[in-house]
Amino acid sequence: MSEPAEFVTIKLNGEEIQAPAGEMLIKVAEDNGTYIPRFCWHPRMKPVGLCRMCLVEVETPRGTALVPSCVQPVADGMAVETGSPVALKAQEGVLEFLLVNHPLDCPICDRGGECPLQDQVMSYGPGESRFVEEKRHYEKPVPISDLVLLDRERCILCARCTRFSDEIAGDPLIEFQNRGNGTEIFTFPDEPFASYFSGNTVQICPVGALTAAPYRFRARPWDLLTIESTSPFHTEGSRITVHASQNQVLRFLGVDNGLTNQGWLSDKERFGFEFIGSPDRLKMPMIREDGEFREASWGEAIGLVAARLKEIVERSGPDAVGAIGGAQGTNEDAYALSKFMRVAVGTNNLDAQLDDGLNPDFLVGVGSRARIQDLESAKTILVWSADLKEENPILYLRVRRAARELDATLIVVHPARTGLDDLADHKFGYRPGDGADLLADLAAGTQDYAPALDALQDGPVVVILGRTGLSEDGGLAEAVASFARDLPAASIMPIVRRANTFGALDMGVAPSLLPGRIPARGASGAIIELWGKVPATRGLDTAGMLAGLVGGELEALIMVGADPVRDVPSGSKAADALRAADFSVAIDLFMTDSAAMADVVLPAEGFTEKEGTVTNLEGRVQKVNRIVPGPGQARPDWSVLDGIAESMGSPIGLPSSEAIAKEISTVATAYEGVSWDLLEGEAREGAVVPIGDVRQPLEYIAVNAEQPARTKGLALHLARTLYDDGSAIRHSLSLAKLAPGMTAGLSPDQAVDLGVEAGDLVTVSIGSVTFACPVRIDRALADKTVAIPFNQPGIETLDAAASVLVKAGGSS
Amino acid sequence: MTDTARWSEESEALAESVMAKYPQKRSALMPLLYIAMREDGYLSEAGMRRVADLVDLEPAQVSSVASFYTMYKLEPVGKYLVSVCTSISCWLLGGDEVLEAVEASAGVPSGETDESGVISPEHVECIGACGGAPAVQVNYELIEGLTPKKATELVEWLNAAQPATLNGDEMQALFGGERSFDWAINETNDATGPYPAFQPHGTIAALDRS
Ligand code: SF4
Ligand code: FES
Ligand code: FES
């Protein structure tokens, strides 16, 4: 942050201290160990001086005065008393007033036991109330969205929730209504508080006025066990605390890691905890016999998998086996998969991405990689990626902050409307497939693009890039990166969406990479020592493996936390591939659509059930921790893979997650110096690898993106939404119902051409899949384009490459 | 943002011209609320949604402003809005009794409208006529120095005569008592539209002239 370097001297309770000029008194006092009570002030939002709880006595030329310390900047020579009799009396008075209408129903309030109002009344309150009149009454909790309930009687009108929604999230759907004694927080009729970030208001509400449906009445805070961890939902790696009671995870709360999530969580990562305790979790290994699954012991299941894999390797060679997945677990799990495939099987056929990401060499090897924190000082930000609000919501908040509070110039390039459009200084749209033309125009600075190109010359610039949709060629993002590399002061942040993809790639779960960002052909040193000979030829990626299964070159497929049938942008091909496979095994938390087609399904431990590390999109390694046991006989991925290798007679020697972590730091060049001790001690905010002066091991060589063939007819923009039919959401009951469902996004002109209006039914055919859905008008779309959300409940997976037809009318 | 139902062409044009006068659209929020009131006779949900759409705010933000100010009517109001001041000066000189008299003759309490939709009594905070307390406004035309008896007569007269336009000076002569000072310009409030407010609702007329 660009803090003014100037310091002033103030007297705080008689003691002289130095403080940065302009800083608010409440913050200065806190930084110097003096807590001033507060309700409305929040370190991540603008001060408003609304609740008056933070009154302190300040000496002024006209004698001492009571001043709200959250809106009082420090000035040289200022003398402050935070605990003088006058200040205390004022604080007491404020609390007495706040309690005038407060129902004091703490025994039935979720917040009881961790309530700032309760705490501050205990510490600063009068102890007795003189108020004997009838209190104000409102209908007790009213749902203001599917996730959040509001109890207006408890509200102390601090405006934290409304300021968060407006300032931070950009969804001002709740506001003060009425005035005076009748003031209340409320939504507009029929406009629920449907924000992707609504849960944050529950966390920052200083009373129990806002409660979260998934947690209500589930526990008392003093009964909860708590552990710090890293959210498994987005590639930003939000820091969280996990709360559990009686071996059940009951909630996640955001932790303020200033470098990443700054305390905020998306509702998906806050309420997605529900999948952990789902009754649908796999508890026992399952073996298919005569077409039906039956439960089996671990010994039998592992024995069978090992025997079948061995048989296939002996018959057809190691390259007849492939593995998909590894991006949903820890780095330790991914490392085990990487080692298993190279050492126990002997192939480079493995891929952590599901044909929906970017070239792995590019993702981990592109130089001048930006960190999230670079957004704080960026003058210009170019976002040419998926809609961040849908896929990387924490990054969305940080970009929003940079554009709104820190005045960065924001350029957004995307074929459809995105969550950032309203804040963008420049928004460019294009018809899917025509991105390369737009890039050429932008690089040349022709006409409309000149101001944006000028802004991009003005560093520091952060370029966030990725695939804008599943139907877009990943090569475009690489071309954008090449353009960005030639800008005078740009750093690059390539992004993908699936949780620990970056960690998995760093562990070598890619057809071309070994652990530590080393090219597969360049194995040397510790890897050779520990792994022995590793295959040097590039393996198959996910698309290649699925095609290989159908073509017969590949015979066995291992799926580790991967559901290609739902997640690969041509899911029906994935189903064909699984049908064609000679043998397939799924290690997963749930019986996913893909697992249901496998020969053996092995139950895995998931988040909060295992310990390890994960790596976020900027290369930040953080710790995840265990707080509950896994269901039934579930085991961590690494242990399952170690068991199979052992049984195959080619052990990979991975006895524990911690031992794997040590091996990673020896084998993986980029992870040198990373240890659990470091991440639990000094580097609790995470350590960005490579640490220190170690050179980025992989040199990515830019390829010239080929101009894709122009789409005739309708172009398809197939993009993910925050809530979809992915297995974590499907098994989180509160979130499952929030998937938006199928719509067909059309430009206004396109809609006129088709003779339809918003809400009308149209029939969409994508390849062999046909469905009816309502029209949504998106003014940002180009003509001859249709925008379709990916992986919605009840719809078969769509093929991003297939041709599209849209007809008016709902009969299919 | 959903597409909201458009107003009459005239109101839409007026809204455009109002918004054009501000560097930021949202600054036009309050005058637009008057247009919405004129459209529907009060601030309906649909009206607030339209305003939100026009100035790029969420409806919750619009209703936050609308519900803060008492002169934005969130419910339909009768032909005559009778506002009785109950702030300190008026209260000391019998404002409460005046209010009671108005309520009694209208047959409904403050904040409601009589059955025939003619009279809506309300109590208001200081209307700047403390020198002539107790003070009352009918469709924002001022009468000073009322007694409960005179107030009753005022309501009866409104009910019987149902004048198309109201004039403060005339009503003062008929029902008022001591006047605080000369109110200068004697302008008739011909705000007899579907709801009472400034003509046509103050701000707009002023903007039209500028
Ligand atoms: S609901 Fe909570 S956060 Fe919102 S204003 Fe009331 S007390 Fe503050
Ligand atoms: S914390 Fe300072 S006024 Fe609320
Ligand atoms: S107190 Fe009634 S007009 Fe001022």
Side-chain angles (χ1 to χ4, degrees), chain A residues 700-714:
Chain A
Y700 154 79
I701 298 156
V703 285
N704 272 335
E706 263 177 49
Q707 172 80 33
R710 261 170 222 290
T711 329
K712 292 189 209 81
L714 275 181

Side-chain angles (χ1 to χ4, degrees), chain B residues 43-138:
Chain B
L43 269 180
S44 65
E45 275 176 30
M48 288 191 271
R49 278 180 206 278
R50 182 70 193 142
V51 172
D53 217 2
L54 285 168
V55 299
D56 270 347
L57 288 173
E58 289 294 340
Q61 295 173 296
V62 172
S63 74
S64 177
V65 171
S67 61
F68 184 85
Y69 295 99
T70 51
M71 283 169 72
Y72 290 126
K73 299 298 177 195
L74 300 172
E75 311 246 322
V77 176
K79 193 165 176 188
Y80 304 108
L81 177 69
V82 184
S83 320
V84 183
C85 174
T86 50
S87 280
I88 186 79
S89 297
C90 296
W91 176 70
L92 286 171
L93 291 170
D96 274 5
E97 286 88 60
V98 171
L99 176 64
E100 270 168 37
V102 171
E103 289 175 331
S105 53
V108 285
S110 171
E112 291 181 22
T113 301
D114 66 19
E115 254 173 38
S116 38
V118 180
I119 310 281
S120 302
E122 67 170 359
H123 68 90
V124 294
E125 299 307 322
C126 180
I127 45 180
C130 319
V136 165
Q137 287 178 331
V138 182

Side-chain angles (χ1 to χ4, degrees), chain A residues 150 154-162 176 185 201 204-207 209-210:
Chain A
L150 167 68
R154 294 181 187 151
C155 172
I156 58 162
L157 301 173
C158 69
R160 276 185 167 197
C161 56
T162 53
F176 281 144
I185 295 291
T201 62
I204 60 175
C205 177
V207 294
L210 295 168

Side-chain angles (χ1 to χ4, degrees), chain A residues 347-359:
Chain A
T347 178
N348 279 329
N349 293 340
L350 75 171
D351 196 349
Q353 302 189 82
L354 287 120
D355 200 26
D356 56 352
L358 294 171
N359 167 8

Side-chain angles (χ1 to χ4, degrees), chain A residues 300-480:
Chain A
E300 187 190 0
I302 283 193
L304 176 66
V305 174
R308 293 298 319 266
L309 290 179
K310 214 169 160 193
E311 170 201 322
I312 290 169
V313 171
E314 274 163 13
R315 184 177 66 214
S316 313
D319 287 334
V321 179
I324 298 179
Q328 303 282 30
T330 60
N331 290 344
E332 288 72 11
D333 290 328
Y335 179 85
L337 178 61
S338 183
K339 189 171 179 185
F340 176 84
M341 291 308 285
R342 268 64 181 247
V343 176
V345 179
T347 178
N348 279 329
N349 293 340
L350 75 171
D351 196 349
Q353 302 189 82
L354 287 120
D355 200 26
D356 56 352
L358 294 171
N359 167 8
D361 299 358
F362 166 70
L363 277 174
V364 302
V366 67
S368 17
R369 227 162 121 184
R371 298 189 184 184
I372 297 176
Q373 198 63 4
D374 293 341
L375 293 167
E376 295 286 301
S377 47
K379 277 189 92 172
T380 304
I381 300 167
L382 168 63
V383 181
W384 191 333
S385 69
D387 185 349
L388 295 184
K389 194 172 184 178
E390 304 290 344
E391 300 201 1
N392 294 82
I394 298 304
L395 201 53
Y396 164 79
L397 293 185
R398 296 295 304 264
V399 172
R400 236 193 137 255
R401 172 178 148 78
R404 197 185 130 117
E405 309 298 333
L406 309 172
D407 278 335
T409 303
L410 177 62
I411 306 167
V412 176
V413 189
H414 190 90
R417 185 180 158 75
T418 76
L420 285 170
D421 285 14
D422 286 341
L423 278 175
D425 299 280
H426 308 280
K427 163 73 196 277
F428 304 117
Y430 59 94
R431 189 162 172 260
D434 295 352
D437 294 346
L438 196 157
L439 179 61
D441 287 343
L442 176 63
T446 53
Q447 297 168 22
D448 295 354
Y449 301 100
L453 186 63
D454 279 351
L456 287 168
Q457 308 300 323
D458 197 8
V461 175
V462 174
V463 179
I464 297 174
L465 46 88
R467 267 163 86 168
T468 57
L470 294 165
S471 35
E472 183 166 274
D473 189 280
L476 179 62
E478 292 182 54
V480 176

